[in-house]
Amino acid sequence: MRVFCVANQKGGVGKTTTTVNLAAGLSRLGQRVLLVDLDPQGNATMGSGIDKRQLPLSVYDVLLESASVAEARCASPQGGYQVLGANRELSGAEVELVGVERRNERLRSALAAASADHDFVLIDCPPSLSLLTLNGLCSAHGVIVPMQCEYFALEGLTDLVNTIKQVHANLNRELTIIGLLRVMFDPRITLQQQVSEQLKSHFGDKVFNTVIPRNVRLAEAPSYGQPGVVFDPSSKGAQAYVEFAREVVARLAPADTSTSGAA
Ligand SMILES: Nc1ncnc2c1ncn2[C@@H]1O[C@H](COP(=O)(O)OP(=O)(O)OP(=O)(O)O)[C@@H](O)[C@H]1O
Ligand SMILES: [Mg+2]
């Protein structure tokens, strides 16, 4: 089981869209996926076709150890993956976990108990570096960072990269950046091309080859409770996310070979 956080403390950069569509894309490739919604906004839950107001159990119950992942997860009706949902109740967990033992590791232990059931766990983080995001980062092998190629993008990245380094040093030695994903990209905008080039020169092959275009079908899909990949598979946005899912799977494979080659 590989656990990835989709994180960026900036709001509205495409974290949820990426999590939901990568989950659906990986499912289409035959992978068993669990999406964990770690955002009290519950957008990934709703975007997976699950009503956040009707959740019998949620990630909140898992964090407070009153339910297991197996008890609290439910199937996305059309996405092909499982969802550990979230709603407003989750914002309470932030306060309730303060002063509790192993508060950073609650999610990690809960996921470990369900590791036989999933090939991939994708965690949709809230737009902050809060205790919830920390629980995500402490549970993960890697971080996927969606970003728009805008003027302040590189600046914001420094904070995130530093946080990831600190978590790596102090809390989770396994954590690495899997890659940066350029989203909502419009090649006609010169500034976006320039920032994209800067990204590649700073971060090299940490920048995913796949680029997600700005595509209205991806923005429309959540109101139908479907990932864009399911809602309109032929749209440019859906195709890009399926391609991205292939790239994520391919990126994991060579790492395994190089380790065995070195041994
Ligand atoms: N490639 C895209 N093309 C067009 N619209 C997009 C694309 N990706 C995301 N959007 C839209 O941009 C908005 C923000 O996206 P999203 O909710 O995924 O960001 P987020 O980082 O999860 O936001 P938050 O920080 O609030 O959790 C949404 O309305 C979404 O539908
Ligand atoms: Mg979101």
Side-chain angles (χ1 to χ4, degrees), residues 2-20:
R2 305 296 296 172
V3 183
F4 297 145
C5 267
V6 180
N8 189 330
Q9 77 278 21
K10 243 176 110 113
V13 293
K15 293 179 288 295
T16 300
T17 306
T18 296
T19 314
V20 164

Side-chain angles (χ1 to χ4, degrees), residues 15-16 39 41 43 124-125:
K15 293 179 288 295
T16 300
D39 187 344
Q41 294 180 100
N43 293 344
D124 185 28
C125 290

Side-chain angles (χ1 to χ4, degrees), residues 61 94 96 128 134 161 166 168 192:
D61 301 284
E94 194 97 56
E96 288 168 60
S128 63
L134 208 54
V161 170
Q166 277 182 23
H168 174 86
Q192 293 207 1

Side-chain angles (χ1 to χ4, degrees), residues 26 51 87 123 209:
L26 287 169
D51 188 348
N87 53 32
I123 305 174
N209 294 325

